[in-house]
Tab-separated table of all heavy atoms in Angstrom:
chain	number	residue	atom	x	y	z
A	1	LYS	N	71.864	160.309	83.093
A	1	LYS	CA	72.673	161.440	83.566
A	1	LYS	C	71.822	162.397	84.421
A	1	LYS	O	71.602	163.553	84.067
A	1	LYS	CB	73.264	162.205	82.388
A	1	LYS	CG	74.491	163.053	82.762
A	1	LYS	CD	75.078	163.715	81.522
A	1	LYS	CE	76.294	164.562	81.896
A	1	LYS	NZ	76.893	165.238	80.715
A	2	PRO	N	71.359	161.937	85.584
A	2	PRO	CA	70.512	162.771	86.460
A	2	PRO	C	71.219	164.070	86.870
A	2	PRO	O	72.409	164.073	87.195
A	2	PRO	CB	70.285	161.867	87.690
A	2	PRO	CG	70.578	160.495	87.223
A	2	PRO	CD	71.641	160.628	86.186
A	3	ARG	N	70.466	165.157	86.851
A	3	ARG	CA	70.993	166.459	87.286
A	3	ARG	C	70.911	166.545	88.808
A	3	ARG	O	69.831	166.400	89.378
A	3	ARG	CB	70.191	167.585	86.661
A	3	ARG	CG	70.221	167.636	85.135
A	3	ARG	CD	69.075	168.478	84.591
A	3	ARG	NE	67.793	167.910	84.969
A	3	ARG	CZ	66.677	168.638	85.166
A	3	ARG	NH1	66.690	169.945	85.009
A	3	ARG	NH2	65.551	168.040	85.504
A	4	VAL	N	72.023	166.820	89.442
A	4	VAL	CA	72.098	166.908	90.904
A	4	VAL	C	72.237	168.365	91.317
A	4	VAL	O	73.149	169.066	90.868
A	4	VAL	CB	73.282	166.099	91.459
A	4	VAL	CG1	73.354	166.221	92.978
A	4	VAL	CG2	73.181	164.637	91.038
A	5	GLY	N	71.305	168.824	92.180
A	5	GLY	CA	71.359	170.190	92.680
A	5	GLY	C	71.530	170.220	94.185
A	5	GLY	O	71.059	169.328	94.891
A	6	LEU	N	72.210	171.244	94.689
A	6	LEU	CA	72.411	171.440	96.130
A	6	LEU	C	71.413	172.488	96.614
A	6	LEU	O	71.407	173.625	96.134
A	6	LEU	CB	73.838	171.910	96.405
A	6	LEU	CG	74.182	172.309	97.831
A	6	LEU	CD1	74.083	171.097	98.770
A	6	LEU	CD2	75.584	172.925	97.905
A	7	LEU	N	70.556	172.124	97.559
A	7	LEU	CA	69.574	173.066	98.090
A	7	LEU	C	70.284	174.180	98.846
A	7	LEU	O	71.084	173.926	99.740
A	7	LEU	CB	68.602	172.335	99.011
A	7	LEU	CG	67.406	173.150	99.499
A	7	LEU	CD1	66.493	173.526	98.325
A	7	LEU	CD2	66.610	172.385	100.550
A	8	ASN	N	69.967	175.433	98.480
A	8	ASN	CA	70.646	176.577	99.078
A	8	ASN	C	69.711	177.783	99.059
A	8	ASN	O	68.610	177.728	98.503
A	8	ASN	CB	71.946	176.878	98.321
A	8	ASN	CG	73.033	177.455	99.224
A	8	ASN	OD1	72.747	178.068	100.261
A	8	ASN	ND2	74.281	177.252	98.845
A	9	ASN	N	70.159	178.888	99.669
A	9	ASN	CA	69.340	180.090	99.714
A	9	ASN	C	69.634	181.037	98.572
A	9	ASN	O	69.268	182.210	98.589
A	9	ASN	CB	69.520	180.824	101.061
A	9	ASN	CG	70.944	181.319	101.255
A	9	ASN	OD1	71.871	180.863	100.589
A	9	ASN	ND2	71.119	182.253	102.179
A	10	GLY	N	70.284	180.547	97.543
A	10	GLY	CA	70.570	181.304	96.335
A	10	GLY	C	71.314	180.423	95.368
A	10	GLY	O	71.890	179.396	95.750
A	11	THR	N	71.294	180.780	94.092
A	11	THR	CA	71.942	179.936	93.082
A	11	THR	C	73.429	180.236	92.918
A	11	THR	O	74.161	179.422	92.361
A	11	THR	CB	71.248	180.124	91.719
A	11	THR	OG1	71.289	181.508	91.354
A	11	THR	CG2	69.799	179.650	91.783
A	12	GLU	N	73.868	181.387	93.417
A	12	GLU	CA	75.279	181.738	93.283
A	12	GLU	C	76.159	180.828	94.130
A	12	GLU	O	75.786	180.410	95.220
A	12	GLU	CB	75.516	183.190	93.708
A	12	GLU	CG	74.729	184.229	92.917
A	12	GLU	CD	73.371	184.518	93.511
A	12	GLU	OE1	72.882	183.721	94.363
A	12	GLU	OE2	72.766	185.532	93.123
A	13	ALA	N	77.356	180.537	93.621
A	13	ALA	CA	78.286	179.657	94.326
A	13	ALA	C	78.712	180.222	95.673
A	13	ALA	O	79.073	179.483	96.590
A	13	ALA	CB	79.522	179.401	93.463
A	14	SER	N	78.678	181.545	95.815
A	14	SER	CA	79.107	182.195	97.058
A	14	SER	C	78.039	182.206	98.142
A	14	SER	O	78.306	182.606	99.273
A	14	SER	CB	79.514	183.649	96.759
A	14	SER	OG	78.413	184.363	96.192
A	15	LYS	N	76.825	181.761	97.823
A	15	LYS	CA	75.719	181.804	98.777
A	15	LYS	C	75.784	180.658	99.777
A	15	LYS	O	76.405	179.624	99.539
A	15	LYS	CB	74.386	181.700	98.023
A	15	LYS	CG	73.996	182.947	97.251
A	15	LYS	CD	73.366	183.973	98.160
A	15	LYS	CE	72.762	185.113	97.350
A	15	LYS	NZ	72.036	186.069	98.189
A	16	GLY	N	75.099	180.858	100.935
A	16	GLY	CA	74.886	179.766	101.870
A	16	GLY	C	75.763	179.786	103.095
A	16	GLY	O	76.535	180.724	103.331
A	17	SER	N	75.630	178.724	103.872
A	17	SER	CA	76.399	178.537	105.100
A	17	SER	C	77.754	177.937	104.771
A	17	SER	O	78.038	177.587	103.621
A	17	SER	CB	75.632	177.602	106.040
A	17	SER	OG	75.511	176.314	105.437
A	18	GLU	N	78.575	177.775	105.798
A	18	GLU	CA	79.871	177.133	105.587
A	18	GLU	C	79.686	175.701	105.076
A	18	GLU	O	80.465	175.207	104.253
A	18	GLU	CB	80.675	177.137	106.891
A	18	GLU	CG	81.178	178.513	107.299
A	18	GLU	CD	82.008	179.181	106.203
A	18	GLU	OE1	82.930	178.513	105.662
A	18	GLU	OE2	81.738	180.350	105.876
A	19	LEU	N	78.630	175.033	105.576
A	19	LEU	CA	78.341	173.671	105.132
A	19	LEU	C	78.061	173.629	103.637
A	19	LEU	O	78.656	172.838	102.896
A	19	LEU	CB	77.126	173.112	105.903
A	19	LEU	CG	76.555	171.770	105.397
A	19	LEU	CD1	77.558	170.651	105.594
A	19	LEU	CD2	75.242	171.449	106.099
A	20	THR	N	77.151	174.490	103.156
A	20	THR	CA	76.767	174.436	101.743
A	20	THR	C	77.867	174.967	100.829
A	20	THR	O	78.029	174.497	99.701
A	20	THR	CB	75.454	175.217	101.511
A	20	THR	OG1	75.596	176.555	101.990
A	20	THR	CG2	74.296	174.538	102.214
A	21	LYS	N	78.640	175.938	101.295
A	21	LYS	CA	79.745	176.463	100.477
A	21	LYS	C	80.797	175.373	100.235
A	21	LYS	O	81.275	175.198	99.107
A	21	LYS	CB	80.382	177.674	101.143
A	21	LYS	CG	79.533	178.935	101.109
A	21	LYS	CD	80.234	180.065	101.853
A	21	LYS	CE	79.362	181.314	101.908
A	21	LYS	NZ	80.013	182.398	102.701
A	22	LYS	N	81.147	174.653	101.297
A	22	LYS	CA	82.127	173.582	101.163
A	22	LYS	C	81.563	172.438	100.349
A	22	LYS	O	82.261	171.835	99.504
A	22	LYS	CB	82.566	173.106	102.541
A	22	LYS	CG	83.634	172.017	102.514
A	22	LYS	CD	84.932	172.487	101.853
A	22	LYS	CE	86.010	171.428	101.907
A	22	LYS	NZ	87.240	171.837	101.200
A	23	ALA	N	80.276	172.117	100.579
A	23	ALA	CA	79.628	171.040	99.834
A	23	ALA	C	79.576	171.381	98.346
A	23	ALA	O	79.799	170.519	97.489
A	23	ALA	CB	78.216	170.797	100.361
A	24	PHE	N	79.305	172.651	98.027
A	24	PHE	CA	79.286	173.105	96.623
A	24	PHE	C	80.645	172.856	95.967
A	24	PHE	O	80.728	172.339	94.850
A	24	PHE	CB	78.944	174.588	96.561
A	24	PHE	CG	78.823	175.140	95.154
A	24	PHE	CD1	77.589	175.253	94.555
A	24	PHE	CD2	79.953	175.523	94.429
A	24	PHE	CE1	77.457	175.746	93.254
A	24	PHE	CE2	79.859	176.001	93.140
A	24	PHE	CZ	78.596	176.129	92.541
A	25	GLU	N	81.695	173.197	96.691
A	25	GLU	CA	83.050	173.022	96.170
A	25	GLU	C	83.341	171.540	95.902
A	25	GLU	O	83.877	171.190	94.843
A	25	GLU	CB	84.051	173.593	97.180
A	25	GLU	CG	85.513	173.442	96.767
A	25	GLU	CD	86.460	173.919	97.860
A	25	GLU	OE1	86.025	174.656	98.768
A	25	GLU	OE2	87.654	173.536	97.805
A	26	LEU	N	82.983	170.687	96.864
A	26	LEU	CA	83.254	169.264	96.714
A	26	LEU	C	82.398	168.620	95.626
A	26	LEU	O	82.873	167.781	94.864
A	26	LEU	CB	83.042	168.545	98.057
A	26	LEU	CG	83.988	168.936	99.193
A	26	LEU	CD1	83.569	168.237	100.482
A	26	LEU	CD2	85.441	168.588	98.835
A	27	LEU	N	81.136	169.024	95.566
A	27	LEU	CA	80.237	168.488	94.544
A	27	LEU	C	80.695	168.890	93.147
A	27	LEU	O	80.574	168.105	92.185
A	27	LEU	CB	78.794	168.963	94.791
A	27	LEU	CG	78.045	168.273	95.935
A	27	LEU	CD1	76.837	169.086	96.353
A	27	LEU	CD2	77.627	166.867	95.528
A	28	SER	N	81.228	170.088	93.026
A	28	SER	CA	81.728	170.566	91.730
A	28	SER	C	82.904	169.729	91.243
A	28	SER	O	83.154	169.629	90.036
A	28	SER	CB	82.142	172.035	91.840
A	28	SER	OG	81.054	172.848	92.194
A	29	GLN	N	83.620	169.129	92.180
A	29	GLN	CA	84.799	168.333	91.835
A	29	GLN	C	84.477	166.840	91.654
A	29	GLN	O	85.351	166.080	91.226
A	29	GLN	CB	85.865	168.493	92.931
A	29	GLN	CG	86.365	169.915	93.110
A	29	GLN	CD	87.182	170.099	94.370
A	29	GLN	OE1	87.443	169.140	95.109
A	29	GLN	NE2	87.601	171.328	94.651
A	30	GLU	N	83.250	166.446	92.000
A	30	GLU	CA	82.872	165.032	91.926
A	30	GLU	C	82.527	164.645	90.485
A	30	GLU	O	81.504	165.075	89.933
A	30	GLU	CB	81.681	164.761	92.853
A	30	GLU	CG	81.191	163.329	92.856
A	30	GLU	CD	82.288	162.337	93.196
A	30	GLU	OE1	82.972	162.496	94.225
A	30	GLU	OE2	82.458	161.380	92.399
A	31	THR	N	83.365	163.839	89.875
A	31	THR	CA	83.215	163.518	88.449
A	31	THR	C	82.165	162.439	88.163
A	31	THR	O	81.770	162.261	87.004
A	31	THR	CB	84.561	163.058	87.869
A	31	THR	OG1	85.038	161.911	88.607
A	31	THR	CG2	85.601	164.180	87.958
A	32	SER	N	81.719	161.729	89.197
A	32	SER	CA	80.781	160.631	88.968
A	32	SER	C	79.331	161.094	88.839
A	32	SER	O	78.449	160.286	88.559
A	32	SER	CB	80.893	159.593	90.098
A	32	SER	OG	80.417	160.143	91.327
A	33	ILE	N	79.064	162.388	89.078
A	33	ILE	CA	77.709	162.915	89.004
A	33	ILE	C	77.647	164.130	88.096
A	33	ILE	O	78.669	164.755	87.794
A	33	ILE	CB	77.157	163.284	90.402
A	33	ILE	CG1	78.006	164.406	91.036
A	33	ILE	CG2	77.112	162.070	91.313
A	33	ILE	CD1	77.427	164.947	92.340
A	34	HIS	N	76.431	164.480	87.668
A	34	HIS	CA	76.197	165.674	86.856
A	34	HIS	C	75.656	166.773	87.779
A	34	HIS	O	74.447	166.908	87.950
A	34	HIS	CB	75.211	165.352	85.740
A	34	HIS	CG	74.839	166.521	84.885
A	34	HIS	ND1	75.735	167.484	84.509
A	34	HIS	CD2	73.653	166.864	84.327
A	34	HIS	CE1	75.131	168.383	83.761
A	34	HIS	NE2	73.856	168.043	83.645
A	35	PHE	N	76.577	167.517	88.379
A	35	PHE	CA	76.204	168.562	89.344
A	35	PHE	C	75.854	169.843	88.592
A	35	PHE	O	76.638	170.335	87.783
A	35	PHE	CB	77.357	168.807	90.319
A	35	PHE	CG	77.073	169.860	91.362
A	35	PHE	CD1	75.963	169.737	92.191
A	35	PHE	CD2	77.920	170.960	91.519
A	35	PHE	CE1	75.698	170.698	93.173
A	35	PHE	CE2	77.662	171.907	92.486
A	35	PHE	CZ	76.542	171.781	93.313
A	36	VAL	N	74.646	170.400	88.888
A	36	VAL	CA	74.176	171.596	88.189
A	36	VAL	C	74.207	172.840	89.068
A	36	VAL	O	73.716	173.901	88.667
A	36	VAL	CB	72.760	171.380	87.617
A	36	VAL	CG1	72.757	170.295	86.553
A	36	VAL	CG2	71.751	171.047	88.727
A	37	GLY	N	74.767	172.705	90.279
A	37	GLY	CA	74.925	173.866	91.140
A	37	GLY	C	73.837	173.990	92.200
A	37	GLY	O	73.104	173.042	92.490
A	38	ASN	N	73.737	175.185	92.788
A	38	ASN	CA	72.737	175.453	93.829
A	38	ASN	C	71.345	175.571	93.226
A	38	ASN	O	71.161	176.071	92.117
A	38	ASN	CB	73.072	176.754	94.548
A	38	ASN	CG	74.308	176.639	95.433
A	38	ASN	OD1	74.582	175.583	95.984
A	38	ASN	ND2	75.049	177.736	95.570
A	39	VAL	N	70.357	175.101	93.986
A	39	VAL	CA	68.946	175.280	93.611
A	39	VAL	C	68.207	175.829	94.829
A	39	VAL	O	68.559	175.551	95.962
A	39	VAL	CB	68.290	173.959	93.151
A	39	VAL	CG1	68.961	173.456	91.879
A	39	VAL	CG2	68.354	172.894	94.232
A	40	GLU	N	67.186	176.640	94.569
A	40	GLU	CA	66.410	177.220	95.649
A	40	GLU	C	65.139	176.422	95.901
A	40	GLU	O	64.602	175.770	94.993
A	40	GLU	CB	66.058	178.674	95.317
A	40	GLU	CG	67.279	179.584	95.202
A	40	GLU	CD	66.907	181.040	95.057
A	40	GLU	OE1	66.407	181.616	96.046
A	40	GLU	OE2	67.090	181.608	93.977
A	41	ALA	N	64.654	176.500	97.135
A	41	ALA	CA	63.486	175.722	97.541
A	41	ALA	C	62.267	176.049	96.693
A	41	ALA	O	61.458	175.157	96.400
A	41	ALA	CB	63.184	175.964	99.020
A	42	ARG	N	62.139	177.303	96.260
A	42	ARG	CA	60.967	177.697	95.478
A	42	ARG	C	60.939	177.033	94.093
A	42	ARG	O	59.891	177.018	93.432
A	42	ARG	CB	60.939	179.215	95.313
A	42	ARG	CG	62.063	179.772	94.450
A	42	ARG	CD	62.036	181.273	94.385
A	42	ARG	NE	63.116	181.792	93.539
A	42	ARG	CZ	63.367	183.079	93.382
A	42	ARG	NH1	62.638	183.976	94.020
A	42	ARG	NH2	64.364	183.479	92.605
A	43	ASP	N	62.081	176.539	93.632
A	43	ASP	CA	62.185	175.985	92.277
A	43	ASP	C	62.165	174.468	92.209
A	43	ASP	O	62.062	173.907	91.112
A	43	ASP	CB	63.477	176.476	91.618
A	43	ASP	CG	63.498	177.982	91.438
A	43	ASP	OD1	62.437	178.570	91.187
A	43	ASP	OD2	64.600	178.575	91.587
A	44	ILE	N	62.285	173.776	93.342
A	44	ILE	CA	62.484	172.323	93.276
A	44	ILE	C	61.263	171.583	92.725
A	44	ILE	O	61.422	170.522	92.103
A	44	ILE	CB	62.897	171.724	94.645
A	44	ILE	CG1	61.855	172.002	95.721
A	44	ILE	CG2	64.257	172.269	95.064
A	44	ILE	CD1	62.190	171.364	97.062
A	45	LEU	N	60.059	172.137	92.886
A	45	LEU	CA	58.875	171.467	92.350
A	45	LEU	C	58.678	171.737	90.862
A	45	LEU	O	57.740	171.211	90.253
A	45	LEU	CB	57.612	171.903	93.121
A	45	LEU	CG	57.523	171.509	94.595
A	45	LEU	CD1	56.228	171.998	95.199
A	45	LEU	CD2	57.645	169.994	94.757
A	46	THR	N	59.537	172.559	90.277
A	46	THR	CA	59.442	172.852	88.840
A	46	THR	C	60.367	171.975	88.005
A	46	THR	O	60.417	172.123	86.790
A	46	THR	CB	59.775	174.327	88.567
A	46	THR	OG1	61.159	174.572	88.868
A	46	THR	CG2	58.907	175.256	89.408
A	47	GLY	N	61.122	171.098	88.644
A	47	GLY	CA	61.989	170.193	87.906
A	47	GLY	C	63.354	170.751	87.595
A	47	GLY	O	63.979	170.357	86.605
């Protein structure tokens, strides 16, 4: 059950460009993956 994160400039669902906002919405609805929301670049090396 890998955790899937969307790279963004903030963890809030309202953050980002039109691309990332729409992608967040679609990823949240995708039942085949374990989506954990937005992740920031500073945190990706921490797991």
